[in-house]
Amino acid sequence: MSRISVRGFAVASATAVTTVGAVVGVASGDPQHASTDNLETTASDATLLADIPSGQQAQVLTASLAQQASAQSTAADLASLKSAEADARIQAAHDAKAKKQAADDKAEAAKKAEEAKKAAAKLKAEQDSIKSASAFSVQSSYSASAVQAMARQMMPADQFQCFSNIVTRESGWDYTATNSGSGAYGLVQALPGSKMSTAGADWQTNPATQIKWGLNYMDSRYGSPCGAWSFWQAHSWY
């Protein structure tokens, strides 16, 4: 039975190490290490190395050092594990954020693609529904409402109101309107009116021909009827 108490093992081990250090100090002639105060235990229930049979002292020192090394290794392993767990949580959060961003980007791209597809389909439908001047039968006369209905069918829906704003102010939708001062003629008051012959020989009597010419003029000079209307609002002419 060893003289080291179970309760005092750790203290005894530490004391043993301290005692060995003190002995080494004496051998080297170091007064500081040779102090007898350093040989006293600080724990009342500890067993000094000197109280251990000499044959077991090496075993006690070895066991003490092994225990300390094991405790340090365990602490290092726990610290490493905690660090790894923290890194894993950070990486998981980063991966989740990146995954969500990728999903959001994909959804946004799909939404834009769908909107573009619908817009293209709508534009195609409008273009397919637009009639040319030749699609309308020639009549001896046309009412203002009939001319307006004709114009609606000859341009994109979003451009009609701008076109109508100009025609309303220029001719009041009278395809035979003539400016006595300048000689401007027709729905869009072309000056001279003969310019509209490039759209058709019946420019004087066919409002469809006048609308065709007016649209070509507005598109080529202002980009669209709405572009022409913006200019008209600023200058009262176009």
Side-chain angles (χ1 to χ4, degrees), residues 136-149:
F136 300 94
S137 58
V138 177
Q139 301 178 22
S140 58
S141 63
Y142 302 84
S143 64
S145 60
V147 176
Q148 290 174 356

Side-chain angles (χ1 to χ4, degrees), residues 164-183:
S164 177
N165 290 339
I166 294 175
V167 173
T168 297
R169 289 163 176 74
E170 292 290 332
S171 65
W173 288 95
D174 179 3
Y175 65 99
T176 62
T178 304
N179 187 305
S180 58
S182 65

